[in-house]
Amino acid sequence: MKLYINEKRKKGYIAPEIYGHFSEHLGRCIYEGLYVGEGSEIPNENGMRKDVVEALKEINIPVLRWPGGCFADEYHWRDGIGPKDERKRMVNTHWGGVTEDNSFGTHEFFELCRQLGCKTYVCGNVGSGTVQEMSEWVEYMTFDGVSPMAELRKRNGREKAWKLDYFGVGNENWGCGGNMTPDYYANLYRRYQTYVRNYDKNAPIFKVCGGADAADYNWTDTVLHECFRKPAPAEAHGFMDGLSVHYYVGVEKGQHKGSATDFDENEWFYTMKRALGMEEVIKRHGAIMDQYDPEKKIGMIVDEWGCWHDVETGTNPGFLYQQNTMRDAVVAGVTLNIFNKHCDRVKMACIAQVVNVLQAVVLTEGKKMLRTPTWQIFHMYKNHQGAELVESCLEGSGMTGTEEIQVADVNESVSVDKEGIITVTLNNLTLTEEKTLEIVLAEKKPSSVKGKILHGAMNAHNTFEEPENVVEKEFQEFTLTERGISLTLPPCSVLMLRIY
Ligand code: AHR
């Protein structure tokens, strides 16, 4: 098999935010996962777990979405400000019916993002909130002058306005966010977004319109038909800067999705097929977006994606706590390669969810924390963030799978950074076949190459007892050739090369 790279042909900027994350008031994501409170025995800074913050900084977390998900359309931001002992307690009806004490609210979210050094993405409440409530939240967060909301913020201990980078106008409004028709949501969107004011003209908020579930192309078309406006010459933005889409990957077994760790080869390949299906979702929503916005000014925001398996035995079904194996790692590798290749349209993506929920990069248990195989992929891929995609093409790749299900065996993406260093990421989806690969560069003569690899059995995973079963390793089994690099890719693996 050959991988041709034309490092001279740049195809677009890979927004770092493609490597973003999502945190919801769901199960043990916020509480226990990210936030343990100042009084906790678990080492923390202003209530945020130090070990988790460190692990997320190691993967250069670029942006964090909060407070939901479905929770967002039931969240009333005023419940989460002011003295903690006076904050309202509520029932988290979506997720396990547990009591939410609102001890993590707006101030805590911005403090967490400050510690992480990442951009802020807040999702507003359209489903059960008012225009006034949303508009005042934006004022509370971002207005620096004299106003009722700015005064309230100051009374709660924060003098200066925060930098709000992204604001989502509702979440899944076709479902948990109000069961709306696309036409109805589109008209609400026009109204709500009007009051997402840009108080700081030098730092406009990137407005995200609530998008479709996976292959619901009618939603995208209807919403754009109603809401797409070219910005007036004097304006920086039209009605929206981004349009979201959600896409989850899982096996369907009647009422069940299948175990995260106990699965067979058919389930492996079925999952891979679903993961590869992200490309069609992007292409088809993208084609509709192109009809309205051929200049690609509006970003596609895949603000929820990842594997959704059955919860771990004995855990609350409403907490969506699942293990994470090599299968999840390869899904992440495949998906991030697809995002890179569509970086002309995909401007942000948030894996669901960052800690202890669905395809988490980190799991915690009391004081213990582990980095999942998916974390390893975000670590190995981090040099793609902010780099330029370059042209690449595989020749001689084929299909792999079982009698029931076949998928493409290898996929890749390639970028070049400001220093001219090329990053190649490759996934071998086969379970038993080594792949011999010759990388052919257009002009560059590599002076040296560094590699990292993640591989193991399809269901290999990390546990609190053995947290380093699946970790990236140095990869040195390559040779430099006249035209590039020659190597063998083990089965069930993800490889990253840095070519100097
Ligand atoms: O990520 C879990 C849930 O999945 C989110 O709350 C919702 O937006 C989606 O359906």
Side-chain angles (χ1 to χ4, degrees):
M1 190 185 305
K2 285 198 164 116
L3 169 61
Y4 291 100
I5 298 176
N6 187 345
E7 68 278 9
K8 296 279 153 204
R9 193 162 292 169
K10 304 222 169 97
K11 311 259 292 178
Y13 175 71
I14 300 174
E17 292 75 22
I18 284 176
Y19 291 80
H21 293 262
F22 169 37
S23 60
E24 179 166 11
H25 289 242
L26 194 179
R28 297 185 303 112
C29 180
I30 299 288
Y31 303 110
E32 291 185 44
L34 293 162
Y35 179 76
V36 287
E38 288 89 340
S40 172
E41 283 181 357
I42 297 171
N44 68 85
E45 183 183 344
N46 299 328
M48 312 301 157
R49 276 185 83 123
K50 283 189 174 172
D51 52 357
V52 173
V53 167
E54 192 46 45
L56 298 179
K57 283 168 78 173
E58 286 168 21
I59 55 173
N60 290 357
I61 179 172
V63 62
L64 186 63
R65 177 175 184 245
W66 171 83
C70 295
F71 184 80
D73 283 281
E74 254 189 331
Y75 183 62
H76 301 286
W77 66 273
R78 276 192 174 80
D79 298 345
I81 56 168
K84 292 201 177 177
D85 54 358
E86 289 171 22
R87 292 189 192 175
K88 201 174 188 174
R89 293 161 83 84
M90 66 184 273
V91 184
N92 191 334
T93 50
H94 277 294
W95 305 120
V98 293
T99 302
E100 161 66 56
D101 71 2
N102 278 305
S103 55
F104 188 97
T106 305
H107 291 248
E108 290 74 23
F109 172 68
F110 280 96
E111 167 59 12
L112 173 61
C113 291
R114 181 195 70 75
Q115 290 185 25
L116 293 169
C118 73
K119 289 190 177 171
T120 55
Y121 179 11
V122 170
C123 185
N125 179 347
V126 173
S128 70
T130 63
V131 176
Q132 182 180 1
E133 181 183 9
M134 184 181 282
S135 146
E136 288 184 342
W137 197 11
V138 172
E139 182 186 324
Y140 187 88
M141 292 186 279
T142 63
F143 187 59
D144 242 343
V146 178
S147 85
M149 292 305 113
E151 294 310 308
L152 182 60
R153 185 189 68 235
K154 288 175 193 172
R155 282 205 298 283
N156 287 329
R158 172 74 189 189
E159 187 65 28
K160 270 187 69 58
W162 290 287
K163 171 96 166 59
L164 175 61
D165 297 294
Y166 300 88
F167 190 82
V169 181
N171 169 73
E172 295 194 353
N173 300 95
W174 38 263
C176 63
N179 289 311
M180 301 175 195
T181 63
D183 191 66
Y184 180 70
Y185 171 74
N187 281 288
L188 278 189
Y189 176 79
R190 289 172 64 117
R191 179 168 163 234
Y192 275 67
Q193 68 81 32
T194 306
Y195 303 95
V196 178
R197 302 287 188 202
N198 279 319
Y199 293 108
D200 182 351
K201 299 284 178 242
N202 297 317
I205 299 164
F206 187 107
K207 284 188 277 197
V208 180
C209 176
D213 180 24
D216 183 356
Y217 303 108
N218 178 50
W219 180 278
T220 296
D221 196 22
T222 309
V223 163
L224 283 172
H225 184 261
E226 295 301 324
C227 302
F228 179 73
R229 286 292 171 282
K230 279 210 158 137
E235 289 171 353
H237 299 260
F239 285 174
M240 70 177 80
D241 303 292
L243 177 60
S244 75
V245 59
H246 291 176
Y247 184 75
Y248 284 100
V249 167
V251 176
E252 277 141 41
K253 288 176 144 186
Q255 298 293 306
H256 293 277
K257 291 178 186 296
S259 161
T261 50
D262 184 13
F263 53 87
D264 62 20
E265 293 190 2
N266 271 325
E267 289 171 73
W268 165 276
F269 288 111
Y270 181 86
T271 309
M272 293 305 145
K273 197 174 175 111
R274 283 282 301 167
L276 290 161
M278 177 68 89
E279 180 138 47
E280 182 178 337
V281 166
I282 292 173
K283 278 187 178 162
R284 292 189 60 183
H285 286 291
I288 298 166
M289 292 173 82
D290 285 350
Q291 287 167 20
Y292 296 89
D293 172 38
E295 292 169 358
K296 299 192 197 301
K297 296 252 193 269
I298 297 176
M300 188 185 295
I301 309 295
V302 192
D303 50 15
E304 287 186 32
W305 68 271
C307 289
W308 193 319
H309 309 301
D310 280 346
V311 299
E312 290 303 299
T313 311
T315 64
N316 187 329
F319 281 15
L320 310 187
Y321 176 74
Q322 65 190 38
Q323 252 294 356
N324 196 293
T325 65
M326 269 307 295
R327 178 174 61 163
D328 299 87
V330 177
V331 166
V334 164
T335 307
L336 293 169
N337 274 348
I338 294 172
F339 291 156
N340 286 347
K341 289 213 160 184
H342 291 275
C343 65
D344 57 338
R345 183 58 91 176
V346 180
K347 297 298 174 194
M348 194 209 312
C350 305
I351 189 168
Q353 297 190 9
V354 67
V355 187
N356 291 336
V357 170
L358 300 178
Q359 194 177 346
V361 288
V362 161
L363 301 177
T364 68
E365 189 181 83
K367 286 184 181 169
K368 295 184 197 155
M369 187 209 79
L370 64 80
R371 292 163 177 78
T372 64
T374 300
W375 181 94
Q376 317 290 328
I377 300 303
F378 276 79
H379 194 245
M380 289 164 66
Y381 275 56
K382 70 180 180 181
N383 288 304
H384 282 310
Q385 291 190 29
E388 291 281 335
L389 180 77
V390 296
E391 191 174 272
S392 62
C393 168
L394 279 167
E395 185 189 273
S397 59
M399 300 298 278
T400 183
T402 61
E403 270 180 22
E404 271 177 47
I405 195 150
Q406 292 276 308
V407 297
D409 52 5
V410 176
N411 69 69
E412 95 299 346
S413 73
V414 184
S415 70
V416 61
D417 68 15
K418 287 198 188 83
E419 284 76 46
I421 305 162
I422 295 172
T423 300
V424 181
T425 45
L426 285 151
N427 298 282
N428 182 352
L429 276 55
T430 73
L431 287 172
T432 49
E433 297 161 48
E434 287 186 337
K435 294 287 171 186
T436 312
L437 188 76
E438 201 181 320
I439 298 180
V440 180
L441 294 154
E443 281 181 16
K444 190 176 172 97
K445 300 265 174 271
S447 57
S448 67
V449 175
K450 284 188 184 152
K452 296 271 187 194
I453 191 154
L454 191 76
H455 69 126
M458 66 181 181
N459 60 356
H461 55 280
N462 296 331
T463 64
F464 293 102
E465 292 69 42
E466 292 180 55
E468 305 213 329
N469 273 336
V470 189
V471 289
E472 63 177 52
K473 302 239 166 70
E474 295 290 327
F475 178 81
Q476 288 169 336
E477 291 79 52
F478 57 82
T479 48
L480 296 187
T481 63
E482 188 60 23
R483 298 186 60 194
I485 302 151
S486 166
L487 58 89
T488 302
L489 205 53
C492 188
S493 68
V494 180
L495 176 68
M496 188 279 299
L497 296 175
R498 294 271 285 162
I499 306 176
Y500 297 80

